[in-house]
Amino acid sequence: YCIALTNSAAPAPLWAAMAGRGARVALLGIRCDRGSSFMRGSADAPPVLRAALRCDSGNDFAEGGKALGMGLWGDGGDLIEPTDAEAGAAVGRLLSDGYSPIVLGGDHAITRMVIPAVRSHMRRIDQPVATELASATDDGAVSDTVNAAVTAARRPLVCLQFDAHPDLYTELPCVSGADPRDSHAAQFTRLLEGPDPQIDLLIQVGIRTATTEQLSTADSFGVKMMTMGCTPPNGKSIGQWINNQVLSQFGDCDPPAAMYISMDLDGLDPAFAPAVAHIEPGGLSTRQVLDAIAEINAEIVAADVVELLPSADTANGITARVGAKIIREIAAAMIH
């Protein structure tokens, strides 16, 4: 079920091959690790994650008896070290064709390529509203008042990030020599800064390496950060805490906020996911992440799973299997 994809805006026939199969979730590999600040190798992860997902030792069901047969999956293949525009075009095509993309990294810098495409797609959905409002004016022009009304009506986009690191540096050197502003430790700064932020709210879970600089950046952008060692108040679960952050900021929004999940595998404790470049003990358990995903109330419109380092995995590929498990449960949350 894998459709080969070149590093360009995909011709319609390639994507048409996925249509009509009943697929609602589509995988897309972005084999790119030029943003890595310490160790490269995560670009090799997408085919390894696919192999783990398809392994005959498992089956086509998620937890709770949710069926995830192959008819529900599409696959856009892999992009090899794409430009931002190439990655964005591929993600945008998937969304336009009605799929919920789960993007396989690659290092965490790929999130900076993906989320703007998700945001752009959501805004295109809003465009008919602007056209209808403009048609009600005398000259058909969209006034400042109408633009303000459409902006207010736009669906908020929340990013839920599971990670050991906030990734809120201004810049950090990349071992590839790439622009340090494009580092996998700075992508959320890029997505939140400027006059047109690509994320309306960033929620971080599993953080345990926040520096003074990153804490300051988080505060300036209103990031909701759950660090390890700080349990949710009043006996709430992590999932309940996440839902409360969304409700407290966007509870009155219509349509309600949409969610993008960004799963950096180093957010997990290395006992569960040892094959990552930046090993940081004291992290989340696999069970904590799965339970949190299952409890999310918001519609999950897209996701990524990043930072698997296949060359460092165990003989039985435990980190890849954990990644595949998380992919499966994200897909279940998307379609059920």
Side-chain angles (χ1 to χ4, degrees), residues 57-292:
S57 69
N59 60 34
D60 294 335
F61 284 79
E63 295 188 0
K66 297 175 180 177
L68 291 174
M70 300 318 295
L72 293 174
W73 295 84
D75 197 321
D78 288 345
L79 300 174
I80 312 297
E81 293 288 342
T83 64
D84 289 11
E86 289 169 346
V91 172
R93 183 65 66 88
L94 279 175
L95 289 162
S96 295
D97 287 350
Y99 298 101
S100 297
I102 300 179
V103 181
L104 313 179
D107 66 37
H108 212 160
I110 70 157
T111 306
R112 178 183 50 79
M113 306 177 185
V114 177
I115 285 182
V118 176
R119 170 65 94 184
S120 178
H121 176 74
M122 292 171 65
R123 288 178 175 172
R124 283 198 298 274
I125 292 174
D126 290 329
Q127 189 58 44
V129 178
T131 302
E132 182 178 349
L133 288 170
S135 67
T137 65
D138 292 336
D139 59 0
V142 181
S143 67
D144 290 342
T145 302
V146 169
N147 272 327
V150 171
T151 299
R154 280 178 178 155
R155 193 175 190 187
L157 180 61
V158 176
C159 179
L160 171 59
Q161 173 194 359
F162 293 99
D163 206 327
H165 315 90
D167 295 345
L168 289 169
Y169 283 108
T170 301
E171 59 181 45
L172 200 71
C174 306
V175 293
S176 68
D179 187 339
R181 288 176 55 82
D182 293 338
S183 166
H184 68 165
Q187 76 278 8
F188 286 108
T189 304
R190 300 288 85 78
L191 291 166
L192 288 164
E193 68 186 1
D196 186 28
Q198 300 299 298
I199 299 170
D200 295 297
L201 175 65
L202 176 60
I203 301 173
Q204 300 180 323
V205 176
I207 305 300
R208 49 197 188 276
T209 61
T211 64
T212 302
E213 175 190 347
Q214 293 182 95
L215 288 171
S216 176
T217 301
D219 184 63
S220 67
F221 289 128
V223 175
K224 305 300 182 184
M225 182 187 297
M226 179 185 290
T227 59
M228 294 305 297
C230 295
T231 57
N234 303 321
K236 286 183 169 54
S237 67
I238 293 174
Q240 289 170 329
W241 179 84
I242 292 166
N243 289 332
N244 285 345
Q245 304 313 306
V246 177
L247 284 172
S248 66
Q249 190 148 337
F250 302 116
D252 296 330
C253 288
D254 185 18
M259 181 170 286
Y260 181 101
I261 295 179
S262 186
M263 179 69 224
D264 186 327
L265 291 172
D266 68 28
L268 295 163
D269 190 271
F272 302 95
V276 295
H278 294 266
I279 293 175
E280 190 62 42
L284 296 159
S285 71
T286 306
R287 185 74 266 156
Q288 285 177 303
V289 171
L290 298 178
D291 286 349

Side-chain angles (χ1 to χ4, degrees), residues 49 52-53 55 57-58 313 316-326:
L49 285 167
L53 190 62
C55 182
S57 69
D313 214 352
N316 61 354
I318 186 61
T319 312
R321 295 299 297 274
V322 168
K325 173 73 171 178
I326 292 171

